[in-house]
Amino acid sequence: MLTAGQILQLIRDGTCRTRKELIAYTGLSRSTITERVDRLIEAGYIHESGFAISGGGRPPSVLDIDATKRLVLVADLGASHVRVALTDLAARSLVDEHTELRIDRGPEAVLSWVRQAFQRLLDRSGRASDQVCGIGLDLPGSVDHASGRVIRSFLMPGWDDHPIGQTLREAFDVPILIENDANAMAFGEWWSSWRRSRSLILVKVSTGIGTGIVLDGRIYRGVEDAAGSIGHVRLRESDDRVCTCGSRGCVASLASGRALAADLGRQTSREVVRLVQAGDPTAIALTQEAGRTVGIVLATAVSLLNPSVLVLAGDMAETREHYLTGIRESVYRRSLPFTTRNLEIVTSTLGDRAGIVGTAVIVIDHVLSPAAVDAAFASPPTTNVV
């Protein structure tokens, strides 16, 4: 006997669109399917959205996720910025807010701003806090998903082992998920544009360098939540430049936005982007060489995982084709032709919204999972929607 949560999953992934299809697919009786569907409608998980084509008689009602009744709050934290958004269950932003805020100011200052910004979003949208069914936050560090704590980050001094979820739960008693930023961005890109692809690699190049990997529709994190740490692969151990991790010759110390800014006598990766966009020949040459350097490591990743899509994201994706051209040169030169013949190497389609979308979808997948939905039905009613 399939549960209401499992029935919801069949509707959500498009396997079944009507009650008739649910009966045929599951083999359950009409009365059982009617009971499950009615419970899901009454709880606001699904609604009827038009009619399917009828083979004769009354057209069947199409069942679809009700994306409007429940809301998700999301925060995307970078090295020098914070973006927050209130989304529906289709990951569409209803309102958002952005500020320049350095993450190295520490968790108290940053999370205090995030909590206040979340409340401002609700006030601006006219929505109540009890409509929020989950919260997501992505940041530039490795995360222990069981505890919601940062376990490793070279850009976030003072954040290691900080109870982020507990801090946010003081204001919102809902599930709170914490994710690495590159993972969230990779998942956002896959969900938005590449769901037909079995594997996708995203490399984020901004202040630092991080990589997110999506395999068969799931984020691959590795045994120690450290998958994708290509920024700290050491290419030139004799190089004088010291990486944020303390080693010399790391990819990030050679090819990140911070490294390029230092080479050009600038402060930030955004300044490098502006120089490249203005046609500065030195900035363009250094940017292309940085792309070649990252491409050396990505060629190995392509050979290991054989992805169908390689996405460049972060600030350096805004250098038009210059950084991407360098990546392509190294990947195609250093990989076997049959591993790249169907590989698409592209820039992000979501731009600076990739983290918001990816994190929202991660939360939505959690709160609409069969286990979470069935647990909500089993729990006594509360003031929260879920």
Side-chain angles (χ1 to χ4, degrees):
M1 293 292 286
L2 296 181
T3 65
Q6 291 168 325
I7 295 296
L8 176 65
Q9 191 61 39
L10 293 175
I11 297 169
R12 187 170 178 240
D13 64 19
T15 301
C16 300
R17 300 173 61 245
T18 66
R19 292 172 176 82
K20 184 177 180 180
E21 289 178 2
L22 285 167
I23 293 168
Y25 184 85
T26 65
L28 297 176
S29 68
R30 179 179 298 276
S31 61
T32 299
I33 289 298
T34 298
E35 184 271 336
R36 300 282 194 275
V37 169
D38 286 348
R39 289 183 71 192
L40 291 169
I41 291 175
E42 289 172 11
Y45 284 108
I46 61 174
H47 62 172
E48 296 176 332
S49 60
F51 297 95
I53 297 174
S54 174
R58 182 180 178 182
S61 298
V62 173
L63 303 172
D64 200 3
I65 296 295
D66 190 337
T68 61
K69 287 188 173 64
R70 289 169 170 80
L71 305 173
V72 173
L73 284 166
V74 185
D76 170 41
L77 276 59
S80 59
H81 79 273
V82 181
R83 183 184 297 276
V84 293
L86 178 68
T87 82
D88 63 14
L89 292 192
R92 295 175 297 225
S93 290
L94 306 179
V95 286
D96 59 26
E97 187 174 330
H98 173 271
T99 192
E100 299 297 318
L101 180 63
R102 294 191 60 82
I103 202 164
D104 59 14
R105 288 187 56 185
E108 289 80 9
V110 174
L111 294 179
S112 175
W113 186 90
V114 168
R115 285 196 306 270
Q116 295 172 36
F118 280 168
Q119 189 57 56
R120 288 195 296 272
L121 295 181
L122 290 170
D123 293 342
R124 284 168 53 195
S125 66
R127 308 297 287 268
S129 60
D130 62 6
Q131 292 180 277
V132 176
C133 63
I135 289 175
L137 184 146
D138 72 75
L139 41 75
S142 296
V143 176
D144 180 336
H145 289 83
S147 66
R149 295 170 183 253
V150 177
I151 55 177
R152 188 184 305 104
S153 177
F154 304 113
L155 296 175
M156 302 169 60
W159 284 79
D160 284 5
D161 205 37
H162 187 82
I164 299 172
Q166 180 180 328
T167 301
L168 294 176
R169 196 168 286 110
E170 293 173 0
F172 299 93
D173 187 18
V174 295
I176 297 172
L177 281 69
I178 316 297
E179 186 56 83
N180 167 265
D181 59 347
N183 285 344
M185 294 172 74
F187 200 61
E189 291 289 338
W190 175 82
W191 187 84
S192 297
S193 304
W194 303 101
R195 269 183 271 181
R196 293 181 180 272
S197 301
R198 292 185 58 192
S199 56
L200 174 148
I201 297 175
L202 176 141
V203 57
K204 177 191 177 185
V205 186
S206 292
T207 301
I209 297 177
T211 304
I213 303 167
V214 178
L215 300 178
D216 291 326
R218 296 177 179 272
I219 296 171
Y220 178 74
R221 299 185 176 91
V223 176
E224 302 294 341
D225 289 294
S229 301
I230 69 165
H232 301 290
V233 173
R234 297 170 70 179
L235 293 182
R236 305 176 194 168
E237 296 190 25
S238 61
D239 197 278
D240 291 336
R241 284 168 285 194
V242 179
C243 183
T244 54
C245 70
S247 298
R248 296 179 184 275
C250 291
V251 175
S253 69
L254 305 172
S256 66
R258 172 182 282 175
L260 287 170
D263 290 342
L264 291 165
R266 305 289 172 162
Q267 296 296 316
T268 67
S269 56
R270 299 298 305 164
E271 293 178 80
V272 176
V273 171
R274 286 192 286 270
L275 284 174
V276 172
Q277 291 175 343
D280 183 281
T282 302
I284 289 172
L286 287 173
T287 295
Q288 291 177 344
E289 182 58 30
R292 295 185 194 101
T293 299
V294 171
I296 292 172
V297 182
L298 289 176
T300 301
V302 166
S303 297
L304 282 171
L305 299 176
N306 191 206
S308 55
V309 188
L310 178 58
V311 181
L312 172 64
D315 289 345
M316 301 314 295
E318 299 178 28
T319 60
R320 301 190 178 101
E321 286 285 304
H322 296 299
Y323 203 102
L324 195 68
T325 295
I327 289 176
R328 284 180 174 142
E329 286 181 19
S330 289
V331 169
Y332 288 130
R333 187 174 68 248
R334 292 170 177 269
S335 305
L336 289 172
F338 78 90
T339 65
T340 58
R341 63 186 176 187
N342 293 312
L343 174 66
E344 296 192 60
I345 304 179
V346 298
T347 54
S348 165
T349 57
L350 293 174
D352 59 12
R353 302 200 61 79
I356 288 289
V357 173
T359 304
V361 175
I362 290 168
V363 175
I364 293 164
D365 282 349
H366 175 80
V367 299
L368 294 184
S369 68
V373 172
D374 291 335
F377 280 129
S379 300
T382 67
T383 55
N384 287 335
V385 177
V386 174

